[in-house]
Amino acid sequence: MKKVLFIHNSIPEYRVVFWRYLGKYVSLKLVITNPDVEKKIYGLDKNIDGLDIEYVTSTSKGAWKQLVSESEVVILPPIDSPHEYIIAKVIRKMCIDEDKQFIYWTEKWVPSNNQQPLKKKIKNWVQTLMIKSVVKGANKCVASGSQSKEYLEKKVGVNPTNIHVAYDSSTSPQTITREDIRKKYAIPKEQKIILFLGRLISRKGCDVLIKACSPLLKQGKYCLLIAGTGDAEESLKAQSNSIGNIHFVGKIQPIQRRDYFEQSDVFVLPSVIEGGVIEAWGLTVNEALECGTPVIATDAVGAAYDLLNGRNGIMIKQADAKALREGIVKVLSKLPDREEIKKEYSKYSVRQMALEFTQAILSR
């Protein structure tokens, strides 16, 4: 098997299964450059037993020399900060000097110019220049979906024949002990359950979701579950005070996620473009579809462009409460076949992502 050095800034819980699958097809060594990132942002439980992981924060050539020399293929870190950029530049030069294969993987895409304030335009411009300098000479660029492929092609200038798409994916752990969500929150069986699961920060758009759902919730035919914690939690609770049929359920650990996805009637990811920042992918879309739950997501969500097809859910305009409300009513008025959703989604599974990634690694 190919010896692959996979450099990443953190070990987020949602990447662990992908790396486990990838490790079945290649000899995988993970190196983490910023071990505090995941804990600071997500803080979710995870099991990394069996993964070969090393932590290297240094930008010096000496810190990386042996790791690179012992590898046949190197996956460069995403250029999300100057720290990762310096590391990527150092390793890129080492790979070129040693005639070693290197690959750049990204989820990045950008909204239209009129949706970016000047500060964000400048930041994206600088970041794009950094990515251009890193991918020059790369054997392949791996894009997470159609939006990031378009970014690599049109903004970075990568030849489309040198871009391989491995659709981003995640999964929810199988649970042995099931939890009855309706019973836990005293939700009548006739009420349809609308679910949001994610961080409660302003760019996730939960304020738009509550506004969209308010007239529906007052009818008593629907209820809204908001799962997660974050800086916007108190303001969202204040917004919900007079509405009713809204349950704030707190942080949901990975082992609990499947219960919420499977027992909800629709999952909504209402992210908005805030300060020019988009939802690069939105892995909760994958996790909902995996459970057969239809999804409504906005055009600020990368996954919506590739995974939603009108049968398993719909993409709507971001920050549009009316369109979101109409979308919820449309989906819930004629619920799709959950088994069909699962079957159709299988081509976007974590295993499939690992297989596509392996194909990029093996091609030269």
Side-chain angles (χ1 to χ4, degrees), residues 93-105:
K93 187 176 187 308
M94 292 169 67
C95 288
I96 290 173
D97 290 345
E98 297 181 28
D99 192 27
K100 203 173 289 285
Q101 184 179 354
F102 68 97
I103 292 170
Y104 184 71
W105 172 39

Side-chain angles (χ1 to χ4, degrees), residues 1-2 25-26 73 101 103 357-364:
M1 290 196 295
K2 285 267 189 182
Y25 310 125
V26 300
V73 183
Q101 184 179 354
I103 292 170
F357 218 103
T358 303
Q359 188 176 328
I361 290 169
L362 297 179
S363 63
R364 183 160 191 169

Side-chain angles (χ1 to χ4, degrees), residues 80-180:
D80 293 331
S81 73
H83 178 66
E84 271 70 45
Y85 170 64
I86 295 168
I87 289 174
K89 286 287 283 185
V90 167
I91 293 172
R92 173 188 174 275
K93 187 176 187 308
M94 292 169 67
C95 288
I96 290 173
D97 290 345
E98 297 181 28
D99 192 27
K100 203 173 289 285
Q101 184 179 354
F102 68 97
I103 292 170
Y104 184 71
W105 172 39
T106 187
E107 296 177 299
K108 185 173 177 61
W109 58 281
V110 295
S112 60
N113 281 335
N114 63 359
Q115 294 174 306
Q116 300 177 60
L118 180 59
K119 185 177 179 181
K120 185 62 175 176
K121 282 181 185 177
I122 294 170
K123 184 178 179 180
N124 277 328
W125 176 72
V126 171
Q127 191 177 11
T128 300
L129 287 178
M130 291 193 293
I131 293 172
K132 279 183 179 181
S133 72
V134 165
V135 303
K136 189 176 181 181
N139 299 83
K140 283 285 180 186
C141 287
V142 178
S144 66
S146 60
Q147 293 301 101
S148 54
K149 180 180 185 294
E150 184 178 334
Y151 169 78
L152 285 170
E153 186 178 339
K154 295 185 178 178
K155 301 291 186 181
V156 182
V158 179
N159 189 318
T161 61
N162 205 35
I163 302 172
H164 190 92
V165 177
Y167 290 105
D168 221 345
S169 191
S170 180
T171 186
S172 296
Q174 293 287 347
T175 53
I176 298 172
T177 305
R178 304 302 304 274
E179 186 172 38
D180 189 330

Side-chain angles (χ1 to χ4, degrees), residues 339-356:
E339 292 307 313
E340 282 300 313
I341 291 177
K342 291 179 189 179
K343 182 179 177 182
E344 194 168 61
Y345 171 72
S346 63
K347 60 180 177 283
Y348 300 105
S349 68
V350 186
R351 179 176 179 272
Q352 190 61 37
M353 178 187 177
L355 285 168
E356 290 294 340

Side-chain angles (χ1 to χ4, degrees), residues 196-263:
F196 167 84
L197 192 156
R199 287 186 292 156
L200 301 187
I201 55 177
S202 57
R203 70 174 178 82
K204 292 292 184 178
C206 281
D207 57 333
V208 181
L209 176 60
I210 293 170
K211 182 180 178 181
C213 288
S214 179
L216 304 177
L217 298 172
K218 289 175 181 178
Q219 296 173 13
K221 298 177 183 178
Y222 308 87
C223 78
L224 174 62
L225 291 184
I226 296 179
T229 59
D231 296 341
E233 185 171 356
E234 292 308 312
S235 63
L236 293 171
K237 285 180 176 178
Q239 181 186 355
S240 305
N241 275 341
S242 61
I243 299 173
N245 289 316
I246 300 180
H247 305 271
F248 286 85
V249 305
K251 181 181 286 186
I252 300 300
Q253 291 294 345
I255 198 66
Q256 302 171 282
R257 283 198 306 250
R258 192 171 287 269
D259 284 337
Y260 283 82
F261 285 125
E262 288 185 342
Q263 295 176 51

